Amino acid sequence: MSKILKITVMLGGPSAEREVSLRTGGAVAKALRSLGHRVDELDPKEKKWSLPAGTEVVFLALHGTYGEDGTVQRELDKLGIPYTGCDAEASRLGFDKILTKQKCVEAGVPTARFMIFESRSAVWPMGWQPPVVLKPVRQGSSVGLQFVDRVGDWSKKLAEALRYDTQVLMEERILGRETTVGILGNRPLPIVEVRPKAGNYDYQNKYTAGATEYLCPAPFDEAVTARIQEAALGAFKAIGGRDYSRVDVMVRPNGEPVVLEVNTLPGMTETSLLPKAAMAAGIGYAELCQQMVDLALKR
């Protein structure tokens, strides 16, 4: 048994992903208490928060803006308190889909062709064919995600995506198998394949019980499995990630991986994808939370 610690779990926060974060934080707090730790829960919904006295380490269970974009990490760095997950700069890069793309391109990590849009009046770009995907640049959990299957839908879908951010990333839609790779202690975990029972893996299918099937370890041959894990680890390293993350990767029919994005503070409910991958590697949920705390304290 590790040493008993005074841990503050930060959860909730001011972002569009507040509800998911509250679920993540509640599950983490329960797991850490089951291991004997003294756990406080802190919701930084208001700017003027302060850590409970005696906090030895912060477990970040925040998602979205403020929690995942490097802001809270910078504040904790000023306080000199260790916290779980990526540092402020890797968080900033990972949260911004354009910056992540640029880092992947520089590092030779395979990623989808893309363009950036900032105006609702932008016309359909020359040299592109549908289907494409529109993503607000700085949102997570599929918030504002739009699929464009016909040029006629372009203006409406672009306007909808721009409701969530001032910039929208347009990507070629990779038709293939959808996977995600958990990284723990700088090592890839078994791959999770995501198969929505109907439609796309959007916010609805992500958070509706029973709407999506998950296969872990994903049924790929050894060579393709290694390629997918290598691409995920490459993206994680390209943004300067540390400790843990979850990298979303599409796999073309020929087995070629294409990195979509890096989630620096992935969901941590007991049914989330990183805990699923850890379980396939023989790491139970409470042990996973403990390992994340241990990694933070090693620094």
Side-chain angles (χ1 to χ4, degrees), residues 3-298:
K3 167 176 168 251
I4 300 299
L5 296 164
K6 191 162 184 345
I7 303 172
T8 296
V9 175
M10 291 185 81
L11 74 172
S15 87
E17 296 176 69
R18 175 177 172 78
E19 290 311 310
V20 182
S21 171
L22 288 169
R23 287 182 4 219
T24 280
V28 167
K30 183 180 167 191
L32 292 172
R33 286 187 186 114
S34 79
L35 296 172
H37 296 299
R38 292 177 296 139
V39 180
D40 290 299
E41 293 174 43
L42 172 63
D43 182 350
K45 195 178 176 186
E46 308 302 328
K47 283 191 176 157
K48 288 193 162 54
W49 55 265
S50 58
L51 287 175
T55 298
E56 293 172 88
V57 60
V58 171
F59 196 113
L60 287 176
L62 297 165
H63 303 311
T65 46
Y66 183 74
E68 216 167 340
D69 60 10
T71 307
V72 76
Q73 288 82 358
R74 282 194 299 277
E75 291 171 2
L76 291 168
D77 284 338
K78 280 183 197 156
L79 295 172
I81 297 284
Y83 54 88
T84 56
C86 292
D87 68 9
E89 180 60 7
S91 301
R92 183 182 76 84
L93 293 172
F95 194 64
D96 186 307
K97 294 180 180 69
I98 295 169
L99 297 178
T100 300
K101 286 278 213 188
Q102 289 166 345
K103 289 289 180 189
C104 283
V105 170
E106 283 167 24
V109 174
T111 188
R113 179 184 177 210
F114 68 100
M115 278 185 76
I116 300 152
F117 292 90
E118 296 175 354
S119 165
R120 288 171 186 232
S121 57
V123 297
W124 178 263
M126 294 282 290
W128 282 76
Q129 297 296 325
V132 299
V133 188
L134 300 178
K135 302 173 178 179
V137 169
R138 289 164 293 269
Q139 285 289 355
S141 269
S142 309
V143 170
L145 183 75
Q146 302 293 316
F147 294 94
V148 183
D149 296 316
R150 300 178 313 129
V151 175
D153 297 335
W154 163 254
S155 296
K156 186 179 80 176
K157 299 273 178 117
L158 178 64
E160 178 60 21
L162 278 165
R163 282 181 50 210
Y164 297 92
D165 196 2
T166 54
Q167 290 182 304
V168 162
L169 180 78
M170 179 176 91
E171 275 184 333
E172 65 168 308
R173 175 126 182 246
I174 307 294
L175 300 173
R177 290 161 70 179
E178 189 151 353
T179 71
T180 194
V181 182
I183 312 269
L184 180 63
N186 299 323
R187 286 203 319 275
L189 294 168
I191 300 166
V192 181
E193 183 174 359
V194 176
R195 291 186 185 170
K197 290 179 184 169
N200 303 301
Y201 192 49
D202 53 14
Y203 193 91
Q204 199 67 30
N205 276 332
K206 197 173 275 192
Y207 295 113
T208 304
T212 301
E213 189 184 356
Y214 301 99
L215 292 86
C216 186
F220 291 100
D221 66 37
E222 271 182 45
V224 173
T225 295
R227 281 214 296 277
I228 297 165
Q229 289 176 320
E230 186 186 348
L233 194 56
F236 177 68
K237 288 180 174 169
I239 66 158
R242 71 178 187 195
D243 295 0
Y244 64 91
S245 277
R246 204 195 77 231
V247 184
D248 297 336
V249 184
M250 290 298 295
V251 185
R252 295 188 195 269
N254 65 0
E256 181 196 333
V258 182
V259 170
L260 297 182
E261 58 190 85
V262 182
N263 302 277
T264 53
L265 283 181
M268 279 290 292
T269 66
E270 298 203 31
T271 56
S272 295
L273 302 184
L274 181 62
K276 271 189 208 313
M279 187 64 78
I283 303 165
Y285 184 80
E287 186 190 342
L288 174 62
C289 294
Q290 181 66 54
Q291 283 195 29
M292 290 170 167
V293 168
D294 292 343
L295 286 165
L297 289 171
K298 271 186 188 159

